[in-house]
Amino acid sequence: MAQTAAALIIGNEILTGKIQDQNVSYLARELFELGVTLRRVVVCPDEVDVIVRDLDDLRGTHDVVFTSGGIGPTHDDVTLVAVAKALGRKLIRSQEIELMIRRFFGDGTTEGHLRMADVPEGAALVRSGDAPWPTVAVDNVYVFPGVPEIFRMKFPMLKDRLRADAPFVSRAIYTGADEFEIADALGRVAAEHPNVTIGSYLRWREPDYRVKLTFDGRDPDAVERAFTAMRDAIPPDKLVRTE
């Protein structure tokens, strides 16, 4: 099962601020629940050679890569062309997807619509009853649309494929202390528990707490030990709550 993942977000509209990406935060949360670490996110323009370069880098260093965006009937929808080029495969028309498109659009079907049936040769079509359109998977690359509603509709069909053998365990501490007050203790706990990922997140205007500390790992006992060590290092009057 997958252990590490990367995301390649494709689209000039993201880089120019015309559209705000919503898929990365969703993907990160879902992967964490599955025990998969999202280690890199790259945003690139709708340019075939740039997509190929970035995809080659990511797929060679991560178990799975998710692309988001650049799928559709317009001139700038070049993701599948780039994926095929990156993997050294021909771009062929899927008869199955073509039939689905013709059924959906009927007599209004155009060649632009049918371009969405072009997939890298040998691609798998992952489907479920909850999503009307399959997800294209090639080797360790999963190709997703950029539209958040469709992205979220399609992702659940991959959960069984992606789920890690050991899920993550997470604990949290909310404290009224400032970061500089707990920095030494936090550094010591982090050094003493190297197999636990410890995060510190300052909230400037939060009325309830100042800093949230998180403790993540695959070993429940290790996470609990790190969590307990840090909790005990915080003055009782600065401890807001734990999770």
Side-chain angles (χ1 to χ4, degrees):
M1 295 295 184
Q3 296 288 326
T4 63
L8 181 58
I9 311 302
I10 301 163
N12 295 335
E13 68 277 13
I14 303 295
L15 292 168
T16 57
K18 295 183 177 71
I19 298 293
Q20 183 176 1
D21 173 75
Q22 300 178 36
N23 294 330
V24 170
S25 58
Y26 168 81
L27 180 64
R29 289 193 302 270
E30 291 295 317
L31 290 175
F32 185 84
E33 289 294 324
L34 296 172
V36 180
T37 304
L38 180 62
R39 293 192 57 84
R40 282 193 67 195
V41 176
V42 175
V43 183
C44 73
D46 300 297
E47 299 175 14
V48 171
D49 289 342
V50 177
I51 298 171
V52 169
R53 183 191 66 210
D54 289 339
L55 187 57
D56 277 340
D57 176 50
L58 296 175
R59 70 188 183 88
T61 52
H62 299 81
D63 293 321
V64 292
V65 179
F66 300 89
T67 71
S68 170
I71 302 174
T74 59
H75 70 285
D76 56 349
D77 292 315
V78 296
T79 295
L80 285 165
V81 174
V83 172
K85 185 175 181 179
L87 275 69
R89 304 193 183 201
K90 297 178 181 178
L91 196 68
I92 63 172
R93 182 148 296 178
S94 165
Q95 294 182 350
E96 182 177 347
I97 299 179
E98 178 179 352
L99 180 60
M100 294 174 66
I101 291 172
R102 291 189 182 279
R103 285 175 175 170
F104 186 83
F105 292 103
D107 293 339
T109 302
T110 66
E111 180 58 28
H113 292 132
L114 293 176
R115 283 186 61 227
M116 294 188 292
D118 293 342
V119 301
E121 189 173 25
L125 302 180
V126 185
R127 59 179 56 75
S128 77
D130 297 329
W133 301 98
T135 296
V136 175
V138 195
D139 291 348
N140 66 335
V141 179
Y142 294 91
V143 183
F144 276 80
V147 179
E149 293 82 358
I150 304 177
F151 192 107
R152 296 179 186 210
M153 183 188 301
K154 284 189 163 195
F155 184 83
M157 70 178 68
L158 300 179
K159 287 187 175 182
D160 288 340
R161 286 181 168 223
L162 300 172
R163 196 180 309 276
D165 295 332
F168 287 114
V169 177
S170 186
R171 296 296 308 270
I173 297 173
Y174 296 82
T175 174
D178 288 311
E179 282 188 309
F180 69 85
E181 296 180 75
I182 57 175
D184 290 344
L186 190 62
R188 183 176 65 254
V189 171
E192 292 172 351
H193 301 85
N195 294 327
V196 178
T197 301
I198 301 176
S200 175
Y201 308 101
L202 176 67
R203 294 296 296 269
W204 187 250
R205 297 179 183 270
E206 176 62 50
D208 184 28
Y209 67 93
R210 290 296 301 240
V211 177
K212 177 183 179 181
L213 305 173
T214 60
F215 304 80
D216 303 325
R218 299 184 190 277
D219 182 342
D221 292 336
V223 170
E224 192 64 25
R225 286 193 295 270
F227 164 83
T228 301
M230 190 63 216
R231 182 197 61 196
D232 293 347
I234 296 174
D237 63 324
K238 293 296 182 72
L239 186 62
V240 176
R241 66 180 184 275
T242 63
E243 292 179 351

PDB file of all heavy atoms in Angstrom, residues 8-34:
ATOM      1  N   LEU A   8       0.376  17.196  -8.003  1.00  0.00           N
ATOM      2  CA  LEU A   8       0.769  18.134  -9.053  1.00  0.00           C
ATOM      3  C   LEU A   8      -0.489  18.905  -9.456  1.00  0.00           C
ATOM      4  O   LEU A   8      -1.397  18.346 -10.066  1.00  0.00           O
ATOM      5  CB  LEU A   8       1.364  17.396 -10.251  1.00  0.00           C
ATOM      6  CG  LEU A   8       1.840  18.261 -11.420  1.00  0.00           C
ATOM      7  CD1 LEU A   8       2.903  19.256 -10.960  1.00  0.00           C
ATOM      8  CD2 LEU A   8       2.376  17.398 -12.552  1.00  0.00           C
ATOM      9  N   ILE A   9      -0.536  20.169  -9.070  1.00  0.00           N
ATOM     10  CA  ILE A   9      -1.691  21.021  -9.339  1.00  0.00           C
ATOM     11  C   ILE A   9      -1.408  21.791 -10.625  1.00  0.00           C
ATOM     12  O   ILE A   9      -0.436  22.545 -10.697  1.00  0.00           O
ATOM     13  CB  ILE A   9      -1.948  21.989  -8.178  1.00  0.00           C
ATOM     14  CG1 ILE A   9      -1.947  21.234  -6.847  1.00  0.00           C
ATOM     15  CG2 ILE A   9      -3.251  22.738  -8.388  1.00  0.00           C
ATOM     16  CD1 ILE A   9      -2.959  20.108  -6.752  1.00  0.00           C
ATOM     17  N   ILE A  10      -2.243  21.593 -11.615  1.00  0.00           N
ATOM     18  CA  ILE A  10      -1.974  22.099 -12.960  1.00  0.00           C
ATOM     19  C   ILE A  10      -2.982  23.181 -13.328  1.00  0.00           C
ATOM     20  O   ILE A  10      -4.192  22.961 -13.241  1.00  0.00           O
ATOM     21  CB  ILE A  10      -2.038  20.954 -13.986  1.00  0.00           C
ATOM     22  CG1 ILE A  10      -1.006  19.868 -13.620  1.00  0.00           C
ATOM     23  CG2 ILE A  10      -1.811  21.467 -15.398  1.00  0.00           C
ATOM     24  CD1 ILE A  10      -1.258  18.535 -14.297  1.00  0.00           C
ATOM     25  N   GLY A  11      -2.479  24.342 -13.735  1.00  0.00           N
ATOM     26  CA  GLY A  11      -3.406  25.370 -14.206  1.00  0.00           C
ATOM     27  C   GLY A  11      -2.871  26.776 -14.087  1.00  0.00           C
ATOM     28  O   GLY A  11      -2.436  27.199 -13.015  1.00  0.00           O
ATOM     29  N   ASN A  12      -2.902  27.508 -15.192  1.00  0.00           N
ATOM     30  CA  ASN A  12      -2.506  28.914 -15.161  1.00  0.00           C
ATOM     31  C   ASN A  12      -3.402  29.709 -14.217  1.00  0.00           C
ATOM     32  O   ASN A  12      -2.970  30.692 -13.608  1.00  0.00           O
ATOM     33  CB  ASN A  12      -2.602  29.518 -16.574  1.00  0.00           C
ATOM     34  CG  ASN A  12      -1.615  28.885 -17.527  1.00  0.00           C
ATOM     35  OD1 ASN A  12      -0.585  28.374 -17.105  1.00  0.00           O
ATOM     36  ND2 ASN A  12      -1.930  28.911 -18.817  1.00  0.00           N
ATOM     37  N   GLU A  13      -4.666  29.276 -14.082  1.00  0.00           N
ATOM     38  CA  GLU A  13      -5.600  30.023 -13.243  1.00  0.00           C
ATOM     39  C   GLU A  13      -5.210  29.980 -11.769  1.00  0.00           C
ATOM     40  O   GLU A  13      -5.532  30.899 -11.010  1.00  0.00           O
ATOM     41  CB  GLU A  13      -7.024  29.473 -13.426  1.00  0.00           C
ATOM     42  CG  GLU A  13      -7.270  28.073 -12.882  1.00  0.00           C
ATOM     43  CD  GLU A  13      -6.851  26.966 -13.837  1.00  0.00           C
ATOM     44  OE1 GLU A  13      -6.136  27.254 -14.824  1.00  0.00           O
ATOM     45  OE2 GLU A  13      -7.244  25.811 -13.593  1.00  0.00           O
ATOM     46  N   ILE A  14      -4.499  28.938 -11.363  1.00  0.00           N
ATOM     47  CA  ILE A  14      -4.021  28.864  -9.981  1.00  0.00           C
ATOM     48  C   ILE A  14      -2.841  29.816  -9.793  1.00  0.00           C
ATOM     49  O   ILE A  14      -2.755  30.553  -8.817  1.00  0.00           O
ATOM     50  CB  ILE A  14      -3.594  27.427  -9.616  1.00  0.00           C
ATOM     51  CG1 ILE A  14      -4.752  26.440  -9.825  1.00  0.00           C
ATOM     52  CG2 ILE A  14      -3.082  27.364  -8.187  1.00  0.00           C
ATOM     53  CD1 ILE A  14      -5.926  26.656  -8.921  1.00  0.00           C
ATOM     54  N   LEU A  15      -1.942  29.805 -10.760  1.00  0.00           N
ATOM     55  CA  LEU A  15      -0.721  30.608 -10.659  1.00  0.00           C
ATOM     56  C   LEU A  15      -0.990  32.102 -10.794  1.00  0.00           C
ATOM     57  O   LEU A  15      -0.178  32.922 -10.341  1.00  0.00           O
ATOM     58  CB  LEU A  15       0.276  30.159 -11.729  1.00  0.00           C
ATOM     59  CG  LEU A  15       0.857  28.756 -11.509  1.00  0.00           C
ATOM     60  CD1 LEU A  15       1.599  28.278 -12.751  1.00  0.00           C
ATOM     61  CD2 LEU A  15       1.791  28.748 -10.306  1.00  0.00           C
ATOM     62  N   THR A  16      -2.100  32.469 -11.429  1.00  0.00           N
ATOM     63  CA  THR A  16      -2.433  33.890 -11.573  1.00  0.00           C
ATOM     64  C   THR A  16      -3.436  34.358 -10.526  1.00  0.00           C
ATOM     65  O   THR A  16      -3.814  35.535 -10.514  1.00  0.00           O
ATOM     66  CB  THR A  16      -3.012  34.167 -12.972  1.00  0.00           C
ATOM     67  OG1 THR A  16      -4.161  33.325 -13.184  1.00  0.00           O
ATOM     68  CG2 THR A  16      -1.972  33.892 -14.054  1.00  0.00           C
ATOM     69  N   GLY A  17      -3.872  33.454  -9.661  1.00  0.00           N
ATOM     70  CA  GLY A  17      -4.797  33.839  -8.599  1.00  0.00           C
ATOM     71  C   GLY A  17      -6.240  33.981  -9.034  1.00  0.00           C
ATOM     72  O   GLY A  17      -7.090  34.431  -8.249  1.00  0.00           O
ATOM     73  N   LYS A  18      -6.549  33.599 -10.279  1.00  0.00           N
ATOM     74  CA  LYS A  18      -7.945  33.688 -10.738  1.00  0.00           C
ATOM     75  C   LYS A  18      -8.822  32.668 -10.015  1.00  0.00           C
ATOM     76  O   LYS A  18     -10.014  32.909  -9.777  1.00  0.00           O
ATOM     77  CB  LYS A  18      -8.022  33.458 -12.250  1.00  0.00           C
ATOM     78  CG  LYS A  18      -7.336  34.520 -13.094  1.00  0.00           C
ATOM     79  CD  LYS A  18      -7.534  34.244 -14.576  1.00  0.00           C
ATOM     80  CE  LYS A  18      -6.908  35.347 -15.428  1.00  0.00           C
ATOM     81  NZ  LYS A  18      -5.433  35.292 -15.389  1.00  0.00           N
ATOM     82  N   ILE A  19      -8.237  31.518  -9.682  1.00  0.00           N
ATOM     83  CA  ILE A  19      -8.935  30.457  -8.969  1.00  0.00           C
ATOM     84  C   ILE A  19      -8.103  30.074  -7.753  1.00  0.00           C
ATOM     85  O   ILE A  19      -6.877  29.947  -7.846  1.00  0.00           O
ATOM     86  CB  ILE A  19      -9.148  29.218  -9.863  1.00  0.00           C
ATOM     87  CG1 ILE A  19     -10.031  29.560 -11.066  1.00  0.00           C
ATOM     88  CG2 ILE A  19      -9.760  28.078  -9.064  1.00  0.00           C
ATOM     89  CD1 ILE A  19     -11.456  29.908 -10.717  1.00  0.00           C
ATOM     90  N   GLN A  20      -8.751  29.869  -6.625  1.00  0.00           N
ATOM     91  CA  GLN A  20      -8.057  29.425  -5.415  1.00  0.00           C
ATOM     92  C   GLN A  20      -8.194  27.911  -5.298  1.00  0.00           C
ATOM     93  O   GLN A  20      -9.304  27.381  -5.279  1.00  0.00           O
ATOM     94  CB  GLN A  20      -8.646  30.101  -4.177  1.00  0.00           C
ATOM     95  CG  GLN A  20      -7.912  29.736  -2.887  1.00  0.00           C
ATOM     96  CD  GLN A  20      -8.447  30.498  -1.696  1.00  0.00           C
ATOM     97  OE1 GLN A  20      -9.374  31.280  -1.824  1.00  0.00           O
ATOM     98  NE2 GLN A  20      -7.854  30.275  -0.538  1.00  0.00           N
ATOM     99  N   ASP A  21      -7.063  27.221  -5.222  1.00  0.00           N
ATOM    100  CA  ASP A  21      -7.099  25.763  -5.121  1.00  0.00           C
ATOM    101  C   ASP A  21      -7.764  25.326  -3.821  1.00  0.00           C
ATOM    102  O   ASP A  21      -7.502  25.873  -2.754  1.00  0.00           O
ATOM    103  CB  ASP A  21      -5.683  25.184  -5.172  1.00  0.00           C
ATOM    104  CG  ASP A  21      -5.683  23.690  -4.910  1.00  0.00           C
ATOM    105  OD1 ASP A  21      -6.081  22.930  -5.815  1.00  0.00           O
ATOM    106  OD2 ASP A  21      -5.313  23.295  -3.794  1.00  0.00           O
ATOM    107  N   GLN A  22      -8.646  24.336  -3.929  1.00  0.00           N
ATOM    108  CA  GLN A  22      -9.304  23.767  -2.770  1.00  0.00           C
ATOM    109  C   GLN A  22      -9.012  22.274  -2.614  1.00  0.00           C
ATOM    110  O   GLN A  22      -9.452  21.660  -1.640  1.00  0.00           O
ATOM    111  CB  GLN A  22     -10.824  23.956  -2.878  1.00  0.00           C
ATOM    112  CG  GLN A  22     -11.272  25.403  -2.955  1.00  0.00           C
ATOM    113  CD  GLN A  22     -12.779  25.528  -3.116  1.00  0.00           C
ATOM    114  OE1 GLN A  22     -13.540  24.748  -2.555  1.00  0.00           O
ATOM    115  NE2 GLN A  22     -13.208  26.497  -3.898  1.00  0.00           N
ATOM    116  N   ASN A  23      -8.288  21.715  -3.572  1.00  0.00           N
ATOM    117  CA  ASN A  23      -8.112  20.265  -3.578  1.00  0.00           C
ATOM    118  C   ASN A  23      -6.974  19.784  -2.676  1.00  0.00           C
ATOM    119  O   ASN A  23      -7.036  18.668  -2.156  1.00  0.00           O
ATOM    120  CB  ASN A  23      -7.890  19.771  -5.007  1.00  0.00           C
ATOM    121  CG  ASN A  23      -9.123  19.973  -5.866  1.00  0.00           C
ATOM    122  OD1 ASN A  23     -10.248  19.941  -5.368  1.00  0.00           O
ATOM    123  ND2 ASN A  23      -8.921  20.195  -7.154  1.00  0.00           N
ATOM    124  N   VAL A  24      -5.952  20.600  -2.488  1.00  0.00           N
ATOM    125  CA  VAL A  24      -4.804  20.145  -1.706  1.00  0.00           C
ATOM    126  C   VAL A  24      -5.185  19.895  -0.254  1.00  0.00           C
ATOM    127  O   VAL A  24      -4.814  18.871   0.329  1.00  0.00           O
ATOM    128  CB  VAL A  24      -3.648  21.159  -1.797  1.00  0.00           C
ATOM    129  CG1 VAL A  24      -2.557  20.813  -0.785  1.00  0.00           C
ATOM    130  CG2 VAL A  24      -3.059  21.164  -3.204  1.00  0.00           C
ATOM    131  N   SER A  25      -5.909  20.818   0.360  1.00  0.00           N
ATOM    132  CA  SER A  25      -6.272  20.631   1.769  1.00  0.00           C
ATOM    133  C   SER A  25      -7.160  19.405   1.936  1.00  0.00           C
ATOM    134  O   SER A  25      -6.993  18.632   2.894  1.00  0.00           O
ATOM    135  CB  SER A  25      -6.966  21.882   2.315  1.00  0.00           C
ATOM    136  OG  SER A  25      -8.126  22.186   1.569  1.00  0.00           O
ATOM    137  N   TYR A  26      -8.093  19.213   1.010  1.00  0.00           N
ATOM    138  CA  TYR A  26      -8.946  18.018   1.066  1.00  0.00           C
ATOM    139  C   TYR A  26      -8.109  16.750   0.907  1.00  0.00           C
ATOM    140  O   TYR A  26      -8.243  15.796   1.683  1.00  0.00           O
ATOM    141  CB  TYR A  26     -10.004  18.086  -0.033  1.00  0.00           C
ATOM    142  CG  TYR A  26     -10.740  16.780  -0.236  1.00  0.00           C
ATOM    143  CD1 TYR A  26     -11.792  16.411   0.603  1.00  0.00           C
ATOM    144  CD2 TYR A  26     -10.374  15.909  -1.264  1.00  0.00           C
ATOM    145  CE1 TYR A  26     -12.453  15.201   0.417  1.00  0.00           C
ATOM    146  CE2 TYR A  26     -11.033  14.703  -1.444  1.00  0.00           C
ATOM    147  CZ  TYR A  26     -12.074  14.358  -0.600  1.00  0.00           C
ATOM    148  OH  TYR A  26     -12.717  13.152  -0.787  1.00  0.00           O
ATOM    149  N   LEU A  27      -7.231  16.741  -0.089  1.00  0.00           N
ATOM    150  CA  LEU A  27      -6.393  15.566  -0.348  1.00  0.00           C
ATOM    151  C   LEU A  27      -5.509  15.255   0.846  1.00  0.00           C
ATOM    152  O   LEU A  27      -5.364  14.089   1.247  1.00  0.00           O
ATOM    153  CB  LEU A  27      -5.540  15.813  -1.593  1.00  0.00           C
ATOM    154  CG  LEU A  27      -4.597  14.681  -2.013  1.00  0.00           C
ATOM    155  CD1 LEU A  27      -5.390  13.438  -2.412  1.00  0.00           C
ATOM    156  CD2 LEU A  27      -3.701  15.139  -3.163  1.00  0.00           C
ATOM    157  N   ALA A  28      -4.915  16.280   1.441  1.00  0.00           N
ATOM    158  CA  ALA A  28      -4.028  16.071   2.592  1.00  0.00           C
ATOM    159  C   ALA A  28      -4.779  15.425   3.751  1.00  0.00           C
ATOM    160  O   ALA A  28      -4.280  14.486   4.390  1.00  0.00           O
ATOM    161  CB  ALA A  28      -3.411  17.403   3.024  1.00  0.00           C
ATOM    162  N   ARG A  29      -5.975  15.912   4.033  1.00  0.00           N
ATOM    163  CA  ARG A  29      -6.764  15.344   5.133  1.00  0.00           C
ATOM    164  C   ARG A  29      -7.141  13.889   4.862  1.00  0.00           C
ATOM    165  O   ARG A  29      -7.032  13.031   5.750  1.00  0.00           O
ATOM    166  CB  ARG A  29      -8.027  16.177   5.362  1.00  0.00           C
ATOM    167  CG  ARG A  29      -7.794  17.548   5.961  1.00  0.00           C
ATOM    168  CD  ARG A  29      -9.099  18.160   6.434  1.00  0.00           C
ATOM    169  NE  ARG A  29     -10.083  18.265   5.355  1.00  0.00           N
ATOM    170  CZ  ARG A  29     -10.198  19.325   4.572  1.00  0.00           C
ATOM    171  NH1 ARG A  29      -9.383  20.355   4.717  1.00  0.00           N
ATOM    172  NH2 ARG A  29     -11.128  19.358   3.628  1.00  0.00           N
ATOM    173  N   GLU A  30      -7.585  13.622   3.652  1.00  0.00           N
ATOM    174  CA  GLU A  30      -8.010  12.265   3.315  1.00  0.00           C
ATOM    175  C   GLU A  30      -6.838  11.288   3.346  1.00  0.00           C
ATOM    176  O   GLU A  30      -6.972  10.163   3.846  1.00  0.00           O
ATOM    177  CB  GLU A  30      -8.667  12.258   1.928  1.00  0.00           C
ATOM    178  CG  GLU A  30      -9.999  12.977   1.865  1.00  0.00           C
ATOM    179  CD  GLU A  30     -11.070  12.297   2.704  1.00  0.00           C
ATOM    180  OE1 GLU A  30     -11.159  11.060   2.657  1.00  0.00           O
ATOM    181  OE2 GLU A  30     -11.817  13.012   3.402  1.00  0.00           O
ATOM    182  N   LEU A  31      -5.702  11.696   2.819  1.00  0.00           N
ATOM    183  CA  LEU A  31      -4.533  10.824   2.822  1.00  0.00           C
ATOM    184  C   LEU A  31      -4.057  10.560   4.240  1.00  0.00           C
ATOM    185  O   LEU A  31      -3.667   9.432   4.579  1.00  0.00           O
ATOM    186  CB  LEU A  31      -3.410  11.442   1.987  1.00  0.00           C
ATOM    187  CG  LEU A  31      -3.642  11.471   0.476  1.00  0.00           C
ATOM    188  CD1 LEU A  31      -2.512  12.228  -0.217  1.00  0.00           C
ATOM    189  CD2 LEU A  31      -3.758  10.065  -0.104  1.00  0.00           C
ATOM    190  N   PHE A  32      -4.079  11.582   5.076  1.00  0.00           N
ATOM    191  CA  PHE A  32      -3.662  11.402   6.473  1.00  0.00           C
ATOM    192  C   PHE A  32      -4.541  10.355   7.155  1.00  0.00           C
ATOM    193  O   PHE A  32      -4.052   9.499   7.902  1.00  0.00           O
ATOM    194  CB  PHE A  32      -3.736  12.733   7.225  1.00  0.00           C
ATOM    195  CG  PHE A  32      -3.214  12.653   8.632  1.00  0.00           C
ATOM    196  CD1 PHE A  32      -1.866  12.775   8.891  1.00  0.00           C
ATOM    197  CD2 PHE A  32      -4.085  12.453   9.696  1.00  0.00           C
ATOM    198  CE1 PHE A  32      -1.378  12.699  10.193  1.00  0.00           C
ATOM    199  CE2 PHE A  32      -3.613  12.375  10.996  1.00  0.00           C
ATOM    200  CZ  PHE A  32      -2.252  12.496  11.246  1.00  0.00           C
ATOM    201  N   GLU A  33      -5.848  10.407   6.900  1.00  0.00           N
ATOM    202  CA  GLU A  33      -6.765   9.425   7.481  1.00  0.00           C
ATOM    203  C   GLU A  33      -6.443   8.013   7.007  1.00  0.00           C
ATOM    204  O   GLU A  33      -6.686   7.038   7.726  1.00  0.00           O
ATOM    205  CB  GLU A  33      -8.200   9.776   7.112  1.00  0.00           C
ATOM    206  CG  GLU A  33      -8.739  11.019   7.813  1.00  0.00           C
ATOM    207  CD  GLU A  33      -8.882  10.824   9.309  1.00  0.00           C
ATOM    208  OE1 GLU A  33      -9.232   9.708   9.732  1.00  0.00           O
ATOM    209  OE2 GLU A  33      -8.625  11.792  10.054  1.00  0.00           O
ATOM    210  N   LEU A  34      -5.891   7.904   5.807  1.00  0.00           N
ATOM    211  CA  LEU A  34      -5.543   6.596   5.250  1.00  0.00           C
ATOM    212  C   LEU A  34      -4.149   6.125   5.671  1.00  0.00           C
ATOM    213  O   LEU A  34      -3.757   5.002   5.358  1.00  0.00           O
ATOM    214  CB  LEU A  34      -5.610   6.646   3.719  1.00  0.00           C
ATOM    215  CG  LEU A  34      -6.988   6.910   3.105  1.00  0.00           C
ATOM    216  CD1 LEU A  34      -6.860   7.122   1.604  1.00  0.00           C
ATOM    217  CD2 LEU A  34      -7.944   5.768   3.405  1.00  0.00           C
TER     218      LEU A  34
END
